Amino acid sequence: MTIQTTHTAEVQELLNKVAGFHVEAGNERVKKIVHRFMSDVFQLIEDFDVTPEEFWSAVYYVGELGKNGEASLLAPGLGMDKYLDIRMDAQDEAAGLAGGTPRTIEGPLYVAGAPLADGFARMDDGTDETAEPMLIKGLVTDEDGKPLANAIVDIWHADSKGNYSYFDKSQSDFNLRRRIKTDEHGRYAARSIIPSGYGCPPEGSTQALLNQLGRHGQRPAHIHFFISAPGHKHLTTQINLAGDEFTYDDFAFATRDELVVEARAVEHSADGEKHGVSGPITEVEFNFQLVSTDKAELQARHERKRALENAAVA
Ligand code: DHB
Ligand code: FE
């Protein structure tokens, strides 16, 4: 028999007190959200007849998650980042601001303040000997296809082992992270290396929960971008390289059809030659379209805790 207590006056009174409804001090919005959240947790415990053992293992799970710093990794794994994107897409649609290159999640591995280059940057430090050279280039335009000069293309991606500099202390500072200002034709270009997909730490909290769900913790090979230009909506997005086992099976749900690109392996390319690679190279081309807006708050990335953000950078 299921024991039902959540509807009782005792439990309802407890929830009101938990949320601080009986005192003036505090934040009304936080009180209401905590009240709703704890009511839902109590209800869940009742509906699933959660045992004390299960409950305490969940509490210790959260403690571990904090210790190993994986909360921002678990969030996308549970579809939360994707859900926020769905909401922002719907908000844009309602405000008449839909269009342009689609957004997709930022992920937890951005580092602010990467070196800024004009038009072209070499992104890798040359030490990854197994890596294959990649040339990535394209245009930043407005929705009418008019090139945007001086747009900032902030690119970051993993190395050939799927690891990101700063978080992987074996890599040099800002390896595979650059900001590139588009030239007068709206063009950006970078020489780098082909990234590998990312896998959640196998012994971490995120993978532990994914295991219980029968899910893997892999992401396909991808490249992250922030694109910004005055008078235009800030864009947070990624491109996925086609043909990866996980292109359409990303644990973080970031793949969108419009963001999947063919990487072209060529024996020789004029662009490669120009940037010091005379032999085989993989070329990736992707153009970005920004939506115009005069709203300043939409022209900047939203605030969240990011590595080195707000630190003094030269
Ligand atoms: C996540 C996103 C990434 O881009 C990445 O490289 C690793 C993890 C994430 O959303 O959890
Ligand atoms: Fe990533």
Side-chain angles (χ1 to χ4, degrees):
M1 192 188 72
T2 325
I3 301 298
Q4 294 189 323
T5 57
T6 54
H7 64 285
T8 62
E10 185 182 13
V11 172
Q12 291 303 317
E13 205 175 307
L14 174 62
L15 283 164
N16 289 341
K17 285 193 177 166
V18 164
F21 284 172
H22 60 302
V23 287
E24 284 291 319
N27 177 306
E28 276 310 306
R29 181 169 165 82
V30 174
K31 289 182 188 208
K32 284 187 189 149
I33 290 174
V34 168
H35 183 267
R36 168 65 171 274
F37 185 75
M38 291 315 303
S39 300
D40 288 353
V41 171
F42 284 17
Q43 194 64 50
L44 181 155
I45 290 173
E46 178 168 286
D47 292 348
F48 286 87
D49 206 2
V50 171
T51 65
E53 289 79 5
E54 288 172 325
F55 173 76
W56 288 110
S57 77
V59 171
Y60 283 99
Y61 177 83
V62 173
E64 280 299 309
L65 184 67
K67 270 192 247 166
N68 57 31
E70 286 196 18
S72 59
L73 188 59
L74 180 65
L78 293 180
M80 290 194 247
D81 301 39
K82 175 66 183 178
Y83 177 59
L84 293 185
D85 276 354
I86 291 169
R87 281 181 56 79
M88 286 187 279
D89 283 353
Q91 283 162 349
D92 281 351
E93 187 78 41
L97 288 169
T101 302
R103 63 162 54 81
T104 196
I105 74 167
E106 174 179 332
L109 305 174
Y110 177 72
V111 177
L116 181 61
D118 273 324
F120 169 83
R122 171 138 185 212
M123 297 181 66
D124 66 301
D125 64 9
T127 61
D128 192 339
E129 282 170 7
T130 57
E132 297 172 56
M134 172 178 80
L135 196 97
I136 176 159
K137 63 174 183 178
L139 284 174
V140 179
T141 70
D142 69 9
E143 280 192 284
D144 300 324
K146 185 170 121 323
L148 297 174
N150 300 320
I152 302 292
V153 178
D154 196 338
I155 313 181
W156 71 105
H157 68 77
D159 69 1
S160 64
K161 299 178 202 71
N163 297 323
Y164 284 80
S165 66
Y166 183 89
F167 302 95
D168 168 13
K169 296 297 180 195
S170 77
Q171 294 184 45
S172 59
D173 287 352
F174 293 112
N175 190 37
L176 312 177
R177 300 177 184 276
R178 287 296 182 277
R179 288 177 297 155
I180 303 171
K181 195 188 278 188
T182 55
D183 69 12
E184 69 271 28
H185 306 293
R187 293 181 304 210
Y188 74 93
R191 172 180 161 185
S192 196
I193 56 168
I194 302 179
S196 283
Y198 169 93
C200 289
E203 305 304 324
S205 296
T206 304
Q207 191 57 56
L209 181 59
L210 293 173
N211 288 345
Q212 293 286 322
L213 304 176
R215 290 176 48 199
H216 66 73
Q218 303 297 315
R219 300 211 59 214
H222 62 278
I223 301 166
H224 296 265
F225 297 88
F226 284 149
I227 315 281
S228 57
H232 294 81
K233 211 171 57 160
H234 173 90
L235 174 67
T236 298
T237 196
Q238 304 178 25
I239 58 176
N240 292 307
L241 305 184
D244 189 295
E245 173 185 4
F246 298 105
T247 303
Y248 291 101
D249 187 20
D250 175 6
F251 99 96
F253 308 104
T255 305
R256 299 182 78 151
D257 288 342
E258 305 91 323
L259 302 173
V260 176
V261 297
E262 289 293 337
R264 283 193 310 125
V266 295
E267 284 306 310
H268 174 89
S269 90
D271 278 322
E273 180 98 43
K274 193 165 116 194
H275 298 300
V277 182
S278 52
I281 190 163
T282 292
E283 293 186 325
V284 176
E285 188 165 359
F286 197 79
N287 299 328
F288 297 93
Q289 275 194 354
L290 298 186
V291 175
S292 62
T293 178
D294 51 16
K295 294 205 178 73
E297 69 276 16
L298 298 179
Q299 295 179 22
R301 58 189 181 231
H302 63 257
E303 281 186 39
R304 66 180 272 188
K305 204 167 169 185
R306 297 184 176 92
L308 303 188
E309 186 140 67
N310 306 320
V313 283

